[in-house]
Amino acid sequence: MNLQLTKPICFFDLETTGTNVAKDRIVEISILKIFPNGNKESKTWLVNPEMPIPKEVVAVHGISDERVANEPTFKELSKEIYGMIKDSDLAGFNSDRFDIPLLAEEMLRADVDFDMKHMVSVDVQTIFHKMEKRTLGAAYKFYCDKNLEDAHSAEADTMATYEVLLSQLDRYPELENNVKKLAEFTTRKQSLDFAGFIGVNKEGEPIFAFGKHKGKTVDEVMEKEPGYFGWILNADFPLYTKKVLTQLKLSKLNNKLS
């Protein structure tokens, strides 16, 4: 089965210095771009993270400080990477909870105005967990009857993720071969930022999804406690969360002025 596409979709995978979206950095990124006509384009970059890679992380993906010492930084690669994905939807394995939030952080740090207003994302892990509840290696064996060699190599994981999604579409007739429908199926909960700090209530209003104001609308909190906005901007929150909150505040201000 081939993916039915109305626009390109980029499968991608990251290897990183750790799992903290706000603080950790990319050390390898691999992208497999699938076009509506079936053509494919792939690219893998090693990245100098400009910070030490912990030994326990090197033990997982095998990418050491020495290996990336002479590689370009993400900022140096950002325009090329963004040029490859900007007209596409995105897909990955656990991408909604980790890879996309971290990619967004790296883009914003590199002064690339990354936004997903015109993109949707398909998290192949969510399909797998909803249907079978296992891991990428097990998914690859289960769906494709292959052993995943070079696990935790971004390129191997990216190719495996793409093959798993095609096999999932073959196996489950209830899955619609449509990227937007797959994105809806893999969405765990609705949030305006990747990290899930700003959610949406039943009325479609932005709400805080954490802390002392959890469940309250952003408008209500900004009205009663305007200092909360400044605290978030100065605290250790992801850049994309801060961007979304700033957009909400500016939108409210413009509505008052109009």
Side-chain angles (χ1 to χ4, degrees):
M1 180 177 288
N2 293 318
L3 279 175
Q4 294 179 8
L5 302 174
T6 57
K7 62 187 289 191
I9 184 168
C10 286
F11 290 78
F12 79 104
D13 185 73
L14 308 177
E15 302 302 336
T16 66
T17 59
T19 58
N20 186 313
V21 169
K23 294 181 178 180
D24 281 305
R25 301 291 189 269
I26 295 170
V27 298
E28 185 181 33
I29 177 170
S30 186
I31 299 174
L32 172 64
K33 187 171 185 176
I34 313 297
F35 294 87
N37 64 3
N39 288 347
K40 301 172 185 176
E41 176 186 348
S42 63
K43 183 85 182 199
T44 300
W45 299 265
L46 282 171
V47 184
N48 184 336
E50 301 180 279
M51 66 179 290
I53 307 172
K55 290 182 180 179
E56 60 271 22
V57 178
V58 176
V60 174
H61 55 50
I63 301 173
S64 63
D65 293 333
E66 293 75 20
R67 188 175 169 192
V68 295
N70 297 316
E71 298 295 337
T73 65
F74 188 87
K75 186 164 188 176
E76 291 169 330
L77 293 168
S78 58
K79 289 184 179 178
E80 182 182 1
I81 294 171
Y82 185 62
M84 190 169 180
I85 67 174
K86 66 180 180 181
D87 64 340
S88 307
D89 293 320
L90 298 178
F93 197 86
N94 194 33
S95 51
D96 282 355
R97 290 191 294 179
F98 181 70
D99 297 80
I100 291 175
L102 184 54
L103 179 63
E105 290 300 292
E106 290 277 37
M107 286 291 183
L108 293 173
R109 277 192 289 264
D111 298 321
V112 175
D113 190 20
F114 182 79
D115 205 307
M116 288 194 63
K117 287 180 180 177
H118 304 293
M119 298 177 175
V120 296
S121 65
V122 177
D123 193 330
V124 174
Q125 185 193 60
T126 302
I127 295 175
F128 183 36
H129 285 180
K130 282 187 173 183
M131 298 297 192
E132 306 297 342
K133 305 192 184 303
R134 305 208 182 158
T135 64
L136 178 56
Y140 198 50
K141 181 66 176 176
F142 182 85
Y143 290 109
C144 306
D145 197 25
K146 299 177 183 177
N147 292 319
L148 179 55
E149 307 294 340
D150 298 323
H152 298 296
S153 153
E155 185 172 4
D157 288 356
T158 296
M159 293 299 297
T161 300
Y162 170 58
E163 289 184 46
V164 166
L165 178 57
L166 295 183
S167 294
Q168 286 172 332
L169 289 169
D170 281 329
R171 179 175 288 266
Y172 305 117
E174 64 268 37
L175 284 180
E176 190 170 341
N177 191 347
N178 176 287
V179 169
K180 287 187 178 179
K181 294 294 184 182
L182 291 171
E184 290 172 5
F185 185 82
T186 60
T187 298
R188 290 180 172 85
K189 62 180 180 178
Q190 188 175 6
S191 60
L192 299 180
D193 66 326
F194 299 123
F197 290 109
I198 311 298
V200 179
N201 63 18
K202 292 179 180 179
E203 289 72 36
E205 302 168 313
I207 60 171
F208 286 105
F210 72 99
K212 64 179 182 178
H213 293 306
K214 184 175 182 179
K216 295 180 182 178
T217 67
V218 172
D219 281 354
E220 176 189 356
V221 174
M222 293 301 181
E223 195 74 36
K224 295 181 178 178
E225 192 179 335
Y228 198 62
F229 173 75
W231 173 73
I232 290 177
L233 290 190
N234 290 311
D236 192 22
F237 284 91
L239 294 176
Y240 200 86
T241 299
K242 296 177 182 180
K243 176 182 177 179
V244 167
L245 202 55
T246 300
Q247 289 173 337
L248 292 173
K249 184 175 182 181
L250 289 174
S251 177
K252 183 175 176 62
L253 181 60
N254 289 335
N255 289 336
K256 283 185 176 180
L257 294 175
S258 59

